[in-house]
Amino acid sequence: MIMVQGEVSGKKYTEPFSKGVLARSLTRAEMDPNKAYTFASMIEAHLKKKKVDLITIDELVEVVSRHLKEEDPEVVEKYMLWRRIRQCKEPLIILIGGASGVGTSSIAFEVANRLGIRNMISTDMIREVMRKIVSRELLPSIYESSYTAYQSLRIPPPPELDEVLIGFRDHVDSVSIGVEAVIERALTEGISIVIEGVHIVPGFIREDLVNKENVAMFVLTVSDENIHKGRFYSRCRQMWARRPLKRYISYFWAIRRIHRYIESQAKKHNVPVIENIDVVTTIDSIIKSLTKTSVKGGREVAEETE
Ligand SMILES: Nc1ncnc2c1ncn2[C@@H]1O[C@H](COP(=O)(O)OP(=O)(O)O)[C@@H](O)[C@H]1O
Ligand SMILES: O=C(O)[C@@H](COP(=O)(O)O)OP(=O)(O)O
C-alpha cells in the first residue's frame, strides 16, 4: 500500500493514497471527473512501478504537476493555485457582495466548492435571524428588502439626497453587525467560510476584520442592465423558487442604483470588482486574486476540508 505523509500544525500523519481524494482535487482544478479518476489511477500505477511505499504530500504534488504538464497544461496552473490557497495556516473568510441578482449566491457556492470550503452563509439568513431578535419598531429597515428599506425611514431625508441609498445604508449598517459576528466566530473557531449577499458592502464591515490577511472581499457587478434583469427571470424559473419575479422587476430601478453605489464603494475601498458574466471567468479571477492577496506567503496547510 502507498502511504501519503502530511503535516498539520507541525505534527506528521500518514494515510493511504486515495485515487478519489486526488481525483477530487483535480476536478476542483476543472479537470473532467472521468479524466481526473483515470489520471489519479495513472499516478497510482506510476508510484507502484517506482516501488514507492511512502511519499510526502509535497512530493506527490510535484509528481502530479509534472505529469499534468504533459496531460493538461491549463489544469496544472489551476491545480497549483488551488494548492497555494489550501496552504494557508489561517481559516479563509471570503466575502462576496453585490446588488440583488448579480449572482453572489451562485458564485459563492462555486468558489466554496472549488476551494473545498464547507461553510457558506447568505447575509439574507443573517438578516432573518436578526429579525427574530429585534422588533420591527426598533429597527424597521431590516424588515424590508435592501431596495425597499427607504420606505421604512422614520424621517424622510432631505430631497437633495437619494432616499433609496439612505435606506440601503441604514439597512446594511444594521445587518453588518450580524455579518461581523459570523466573521469573528469563524476566526475564533478556525473555520473557513464564504459569506455572500447584498449586505457585503465595502466600508460597512469593521476595518480590523476586513484588513486581516485571511479575509478577502469581492464585489460582483453586471454592467449591462438587460443581462442583470435577465438573471431575475432565470432565477425565478427554477421550480422551487419562491421569490416573486414581479417584485424584483418593479424595484429594478432601485436595485440598479444600489448596484452603482456598491461598485463605487468598492472602488473607494480598493475592493476587487468582478464583472460576473461568465461563471468560470468570475471564479478564476476570485481564485487568482486570493493567491495574490489574502494568502500571502503560502504557509503550511490547515487541512480542514479533507
Ligand atoms: N455568471 C453567470 N452567468 C449566467 N447566469 C448566472 C451567472 N451568475 C448567476 N447567474 C444566474 O443568475 C440568477 C441570479 O443569481 P443568484 O446567485 O441567485 O444572485 P444573487 O444571489 O446575487 O441575488 C440565477 O438564476 C443564477 O443561476
Ligand atoms: O434585500 C434584498 O435585496 C434581497 C437580497 O437577496 P438576493 O437577491 O441578493 O439573494 O432579499 P429579499 O428581501 O428580496 O429576499
Side-chain angles (χ1 to χ4, degrees), residues 101-150:
V102 297
T104 59
S105 34
S106 315
I107 297 301
F109 175 78
E110 296 292 340
V111 168
N113 209 11
R114 271 278 291 275
L115 297 176
I117 294 177
R118 290 187 181 160
N119 302 286
M120 194 180 126
I121 189 164
S122 80
T123 58
D124 290 354
M125 292 298 178
I126 297 174
R127 178 181 62 183
E128 206 57 39
V129 174
M130 293 176 80
R131 284 175 179 163
K132 288 278 179 220
I133 302 166
V134 186
S135 73
R136 188 188 283 270
E137 288 73 19
L138 192 61
L139 222 49
S141 84
I142 65 163
Y143 282 82
E144 295 287 338
S145 295
S146 68
Y147 47 85
T148 57
Y150 69 96

Side-chain angles (χ1 to χ4, degrees), residues 97-108 122 124 196-198 220 222 227-228 230-238 243 248 275-280 282:
S100 180
V102 297
T104 59
S105 34
S106 315
I107 297 301
S122 80
D124 290 354
E196 60 80 18
V198 68
L220 303 185
V222 176
I227 297 181
H228 188 180
R231 297 276 167 86
F232 291 107
Y233 288 90
S234 66
R235 179 164 86 174
C236 297
R237 242 195 346 251
Q238 287 152 353
R243 302 170 109 187
Y248 294 98
E275 176 75 353
N276 179 30
I277 298 300
D278 168 59
V279 180
V280 174
T282 303

Side-chain angles (χ1 to χ4, degrees), residues 10 41 57 62 90-91 93 104 106 138 157 181 218 279 288:
S41 308
I57 287 188
E62 199 274 319
E90 302 294 329
I93 317 288
T104 59
S106 315
L138 192 61
F218 300 91
V279 180
K288 271 201 185 122

Side-chain angles (χ1 to χ4, degrees), residues 27-72:
T27 47
R28 288 200 176 116
E30 279 174 24
M31 190 183 250
D32 170 81
N34 287 331
K35 199 171 161 191
Y37 199 81
T38 311
F39 184 83
S41 308
M42 190 268 281
I43 294 290
E44 185 184 49
H46 169 82
L47 296 175
K48 277 187 180 154
K49 197 171 144 204
K50 296 265 169 195
K51 300 206 171 359
V52 172
D53 47 22
L54 181 70
I55 186 166
T56 67
I57 287 188
D58 286 345
E59 287 163 351
L60 180 61
V61 169
E62 199 274 319
V63 172
V64 169
S65 48
R66 190 154 34 85
H67 283 80
L68 263 182
K69 264 182 204 145
E70 296 153 20
E71 186 84 14
D72 200 333

Side-chain angles (χ1 to χ4, degrees), residues 272-306:
V273 175
I274 299 172
E275 176 75 353
N276 179 30
I277 298 300
D278 168 59
V279 180
V280 174
T281 315
T282 303
I283 294 162
D284 282 353
S285 359
I286 291 181
I287 307 260
K288 271 201 185 122
S289 171
L290 283 173
T291 53
K292 276 190 228 138
T293 56
S294 54
V295 203
K296 291 167 194 145
R299 291 150 295 175
E300 213 21 68
V301 173
E303 295 271 321
E304 156 208 332
T305 50
E306 252 148 32

